[in-house]
Amino acid sequence: MGAEQSTVEVAMLEEPRGGGAVTEDATTAGAEAAESMPAARPAWAPVLLGLAGGLLVAVLGSGWAAWVAAAGLAAAGVAAGREAAAAQRARDDAWSKRLAEYRAQLEARSSDDGVAALCGGVVPIWRRHIESTRRHTEEEVSALTARFSDINGRLDGALAASRGNAGGDGGAVSVLEECREELNGVLETLHQSLIAKQELLSQISDLACFTEEMQGMADTVSAVAAQTNLLALNAAIEAARAGDHGRGFAVVADEVRSLSDQSGEAGKRIAEKVATVNGAILATLEAAERYEREDKVSVSGAEEAIRRVVERYREVTEGLEHSADLLRRESDGVREEVEGVIVALQFQDRVGQILSHIEEDMDALTDALESDDPPDVDAWLVNLEGRYTTPEQYINHRGDEATDSPSGGITFF
Amino acid sequence: MAKTVLIADDSASIRQVVGMTLKNAGYEVIEAEDGKDALSKLDGQKVHLVISDVNMPNMDGISFVKELKAQPANKFTPVIMLTTEAGEDKKQAGQMAGAKAWMVKPFQPAQMLDAVSKLVLP
């Protein structure tokens, strides 16, 4: 292309001088012009011839006649010279005009051919550049979209995990509540156990009262035995005083006294056993009361320990929940931003379509440049507009003021 | 069982955006690069919803929807046309072909999910 352009420029420069053209057309035309142009002849030749003739006549001749003839020849020579000069100027003007016309034609032809050749060479290159750019843009935008989609997916996963860890079913807060309920159940069981022990103590205390009554009953038995023994003794005395008639009664009195001795012995043993039992009951009661106090202290300590643990765990989970909530809010914000980016990346589809249409039109232009028939500009523009698919293409086609980026909408049929 | 949605678009980035949006919402997604590829991947099988671009190589969206509706399995499958075109004549062509909705790019994922949930068959 550069070489062709230079040869055209050389032809344009060389042609007016009638030689040195390089291109085929320019060389032929220049040669024709050079051949048809007459050789330059000096306009002063007739004048010199007239003057020379007059001088010769004057030298060879003699008298005034010779001088008149010489003057006449000189005058004729000057007149002939003037005519020749005028004719030469006319021819020069005609050739100058022809050369100017030829130069204009040559320049016009060179200009049209140059633009066509330029377009034929550069348009396919532009088209390839656009196609390459469009392809690279699509690949990179697709990769960006995939990465942002992946980021969004990971954010969703992280948010779900955060919700699961901090709150909701199975979360830290939920586990805390479950632990608190279970520990409260344990404390309640301990309290119930304490109450049961108190009831047992009460029953043991009642037993202690019974042993006192039993001690009294044993004492009563001993007293009855002593009285009976005394009565048996009195009966034996009265039987001895009655002599032989009281002998049988004396035997009965002895037996009664023997029974009263046994009763007194039994009462004594009962009193001893009751005392032993009473001592055991008192010891048991004392031990139970001691255990109860210890249990109360233990339960109270356990309750306090559980309360502290639950409280500390609650503080930790609240902090965790607060952090998780903050993370969720931030993640929601990031996700919204990423979704915004993904939406914005849809520009590639619109740009790709617009560039595709430009590529198609460049192909059509390349075909038109190779055709002998000039393209119909109006039909071309109508065809171009008919292939538009985005609103901004219509706006650009009409040359209207650019508006904001288009936003989508939906129509239900 | 997850609902299946087919997306036909020659733009890989659009397919990814739609795919991401629907997969995150629990849908199964089949991707196709144009109408011909979509018909090949469907192979007469029923899907719950179709999202199709209009301007695609090999087979455009309008022709694809017409052929889709001719399949017994997808005669009543709802279709959303997803395109950069907003002209009424184009919308009418989509409606005549059997589309249920016309969505203009760029779209918001939430907007897409709302439309899909309204149209997808139970």
Side-chain angles (χ1 to χ4, degrees):
Chain A
M1 189 65 188
E4 292 176 12
Q5 194 170 8
S6 355
T7 54
V8 171
E9 287 171 356
V10 170
M12 290 169 66
L13 291 171
E14 295 294 332
E15 193 57 28
R17 293 198 299 269
V22 178
T23 60
E24 186 179 350
D25 290 345
T27 305
T28 307
E32 288 173 355
E35 286 171 3
S36 56
M37 182 182 287
R41 287 178 296 184
W44 39 266
V47 178
L48 289 177
L49 286 172
L51 289 174
L55 185 60
L56 183 62
V57 169
V59 172
L60 295 177
S62 61
W64 59 272
W67 286 103
V68 169
L73 285 171
V78 170
R82 284 180 178 172
E83 288 179 3
Q88 181 63 33
R89 279 197 302 274
R91 283 194 297 274
D92 288 347
D93 289 345
W95 283 110
S96 296
K97 188 177 178 183
R98 280 189 62 187
L99 279 174
E101 290 174 351
Y102 170 73
R103 179 182 293 171
Q105 289 176 357
L106 190 65
E107 286 178 353
R109 284 178 56 194
S110 299
S111 176
D112 288 346
D113 291 346
V115 170
L118 176 65
C119 289
V122 79
V123 168
I125 295 173
W126 287 349
R127 188 205 180 286
R128 287 196 291 275
H129 285 319
I130 290 175
E131 200 276 336
S132 170
T133 305
R134 184 172 62 83
R135 192 176 65 251
H136 285 311
T137 305
E138 180 167 356
E139 288 172 358
E140 295 305 320
V141 168
S142 295
L144 276 174
T145 306
R147 289 188 178 192
F148 278 119
S149 299
D150 186 50
I151 289 171
N152 229 19
R154 291 186 182 189
L155 271 176
D156 284 342
L159 280 173
S162 172
R163 287 193 183 95
N165 289 333
D169 295 338
V173 175
S174 173
V175 169
L176 173 65
E177 287 304 317
E178 289 174 4
C179 289
R180 192 203 300 268
E181 288 177 7
E182 287 187 12
L183 291 171
N184 284 339
V186 172
L187 286 175
E188 182 64 24
T189 303
L190 290 174
H191 282 298
Q192 292 296 333
S193 176
L194 277 179
I195 291 171
K197 283 182 179 178
Q198 285 171 350
E199 289 178 357
L200 182 63
L201 280 176
S202 175
Q203 289 177 353
I204 292 173
S205 296
D206 292 343
L207 282 177
C209 294
F210 291 148
T211 56
E212 287 178 5
E213 289 180 15
M214 289 174 69
Q215 184 67 43
M217 291 166 69
D219 291 344
T220 301
V221 169
S222 295
V224 169
Q227 288 297 324
T228 303
N229 189 286
L230 188 59
L231 285 174
L233 183 61
N234 289 332
I237 292 169
E238 290 300 324
R241 210 181 273 174
D244 291 336
H245 295 287
R247 195 169 293 168
F249 192 71
V251 174
V252 174
D254 287 341
E255 288 299 324
V256 170
R257 192 174 57 185
S258 174
L259 288 174
S260 69
D261 288 341
Q262 292 178 17
S263 297
E265 189 65 26
K268 187 179 177 183
R269 286 202 302 273
I270 289 171
E272 289 172 356
K273 293 294 178 185
V274 168
T276 302
V277 170
N278 192 36
I281 289 174
L282 288 175
T284 303
L285 188 62
E286 186 180 350
E289 285 174 347
R290 188 172 68 249
Y291 292 149
E292 183 196 16
R293 288 194 298 273
E294 290 175 359
D295 284 349
K296 279 185 177 176
V297 171
S298 297
V299 170
S300 177
E303 196 171 17
E304 180 62 22
I306 288 171
R307 191 192 61 74
R308 283 200 307 271
V309 169
V310 169
E311 181 63 22
R312 287 176 63 185
Y313 191 69
R314 187 186 61 76
E315 290 173 1
V316 171
T317 51
E318 280 183 357
L320 180 64
E321 190 181 28
H322 178 71
S323 300
D325 187 54
L326 186 64
L327 178 66
R328 275 198 299 275
R329 285 202 301 272
E330 291 297 322
S331 299
D332 282 338
V334 172
R335 188 176 59 180
E336 286 178 8
E337 290 294 323
V338 170
E339 283 188 355
V341 170
I342 292 172
V343 170
L345 285 176
Q346 294 177 56
F347 84 91
Q348 186 277 328
D349 185 47
R350 308 175 76 86
V351 171
Q353 291 190 39
I354 294 170
L355 291 178
S356 293
H357 295 146
I358 294 174
E359 286 175 10
E360 292 170 4
D361 223 43
M362 284 182 157
D363 288 341
L365 177 60
T366 305
D367 293 341
L369 288 170
E370 293 173 356
S371 171
D372 293 333
D373 300 328
D376 183 340
V377 176
D378 292 335
W380 187 293
L381 291 176
V382 168
N383 177 268
L384 178 63
E385 189 174 10
R387 285 182 283 122
Y388 289 157
T389 56
T390 64
E392 54 263 47
Q393 284 178 301
Y394 293 101
I395 292 171
N396 293 334
H397 190 93
R398 292 191 296 265
D400 293 343
E401 197 71 25
T403 57
D404 293 338
S405 296
S407 57
I410 185 164
T411 305
F412 288 98
F413 299 133
Chain B
M1 182 180 172
K3 306 290 183 186
T4 305
V5 178
L6 180 137
I7 165 73
D9 199 306
D10 56 329
S11 168
S13 59
I14 294 293
R15 290 200 305 274
Q16 282 174 343
V17 174
V18 176
M20 171 205 72
T21 304
L22 296 180
K23 284 174 186 171
N24 286 346
Y27 293 95
E28 284 186 5
V29 178
I30 302 172
E31 294 186 17
E33 295 182 4
D34 53 53
K36 194 174 177 181
D37 186 32
L39 289 173
S40 171
K41 285 182 175 168
L42 276 177
D43 195 25
Q45 296 300 307
K46 175 180 170 60
V47 288
H48 295 90
L49 185 112
V50 167
I51 299 170
S52 175
D53 189 12
V54 172
N55 300 295
M56 294 184 288
N58 298 321
M59 181 185 285
D60 65 88
I62 301 294
S63 303
F64 162 57
V65 173
K66 286 178 181 173
E67 294 216 15
L68 177 82
K69 291 290 180 179
Q71 294 180 350
N74 290 303
K75 186 177 180 181
F76 299 107
T77 299
V79 176
I80 298 174
M81 305 304 296
L82 181 63
T83 175
T84 57
E85 303 224 35
E88 287 302 322
D89 53 339
K90 294 284 186 180
K91 285 185 185 177
Q92 194 172 3
Q95 186 178 10
M96 294 297 289
K100 287 289 184 186
W102 188 275
M103 183 177 281
V104 178
K105 302 173 189 173
F107 66 88
Q108 300 286 337
Q111 185 186 31
M112 168 65 75
L113 282 179
D114 183 55
V116 169
S117 64
K118 282 180 181 171
L119 292 176
V120 73
L121 296 175

